[in-house]
Amino acid sequence: MSAEPGPVRLTGDRVLLRDWTPDDRERVTWLLDAARPWHATNGPYFGAPSAAETSAQTRRFHALGEADPQELPVPRTMLGIEHAGVLVGAVSWYWESRETDWRRMGIGIHDEAYWGRGLATEALALWTSYLFRTTDALRLDFATYSGNPAMIAVGRKLQFVCEGRFRKARRWSGGVHDSVVFGLLREEWLEVSRTWPGPRPAG
């Protein structure tokens, strides 16, 4: 199950998920800087990214911006999140298990000036619909930890189910946190997505 090749633009009320462009280079470099506050909630127990890791990630984003949309995979593995004409973050997915068709999603609002506005909730709704529409996946999920209440709140607003809680799994920064996984089945999202803008999953 796939969409026609070409540029991807998923439009919501307040966010646009889109392919990267060459014009994003400077903004991406700034957003991915290791000093940005979003690193403190995005798996901070793994440590701050090194200069080499930041450079490699930046090059990856830049390469996506230079690529011909006709040659990019469907579904996309990553799209930019734009709000009011400003690139503020990204959505992504990766294989938790390619052999069993198990996909795991990621999302980040990388500019702290845009936190607390509900942008991540709408972006994840659009991304979930897109992935169900362009694949035959039976489920999608995301992983986080109890020290990231904003991400947990996003999952709950979209009626993702807390399917796994590994208690006291993360001893970090003087505290102990649970590791949690939120998931949603295709048929559940068919109901939830009726209240959200943008592309709907295929029935």
Side-chain angles (χ1 to χ4, degrees), residues 98-170:
R98 182 189 292 268
E99 296 80 4
T100 58
D101 196 34
W102 181 0
R103 294 171 173 85
R104 178 155 290 175
M105 300 185 292
I107 183 170
I109 302 298
H110 298 148
D111 187 338
E112 66 279 5
Y114 294 88
W115 289 355
R117 302 189 187 189
L119 303 183
T121 303
E122 186 176 66
L124 189 63
L126 290 169
W127 188 229
T128 301
S129 285
Y130 168 77
L131 291 176
F132 275 133
R133 181 172 61 88
T134 56
T135 73
D136 61 358
L138 300 176
R139 60 169 287 115
L140 294 167
D141 65 34
F142 68 84
T144 186
Y145 76 116
S146 57
N148 190 349
M151 191 66 230
I152 291 172
V154 167
R156 288 177 173 159
K157 287 176 185 175
L158 295 177
Q159 299 181 46
F160 277 66
V161 176
C162 184
E163 298 178 324
R165 179 175 289 271
F166 303 91
R167 296 172 298 167
K168 298 184 178 181
R170 303 288 191 186

Side-chain angles (χ1 to χ4, degrees), residues 25-44:
R25 290 181 65 90
E26 184 175 346
R27 178 70 173 168
V28 163
T29 301
W30 183 80
L31 290 173
L32 296 182
D33 187 278
R36 300 238 55 78
W38 67 270
H39 291 290
T41 59
N42 185 53

Side-chain angles (χ1 to χ4, degrees), residues 6-84:
V8 172
R9 294 175 65 86
L10 310 176
T11 305
D13 287 340
R14 292 183 298 156
V15 301
L16 168 68
L17 305 189
R18 61 164 177 80
D19 284 323
W20 308 92
T21 74
D23 291 340
D24 294 329
R25 290 181 65 90
E26 184 175 346
R27 178 70 173 168
V28 163
T29 301
W30 183 80
L31 290 173
L32 296 182
D33 187 278
R36 300 238 55 78
W38 67 270
H39 291 290
T41 59
N42 185 53
Y45 31 79
F46 294 125
S50 66
E53 289 169 335
T54 299
S55 179
Q57 188 176 26
T58 301
R59 288 196 302 271
R60 180 186 176 201
F61 276 75
H62 289 174
L64 288 172
E66 298 291 342
D68 181 348
Q70 300 287 340
E71 298 177 357
L72 291 172
V74 178
R76 297 293 195 266
T77 57
M78 187 181 300
L79 292 174
I81 303 172
E82 185 178 302
H83 169 68

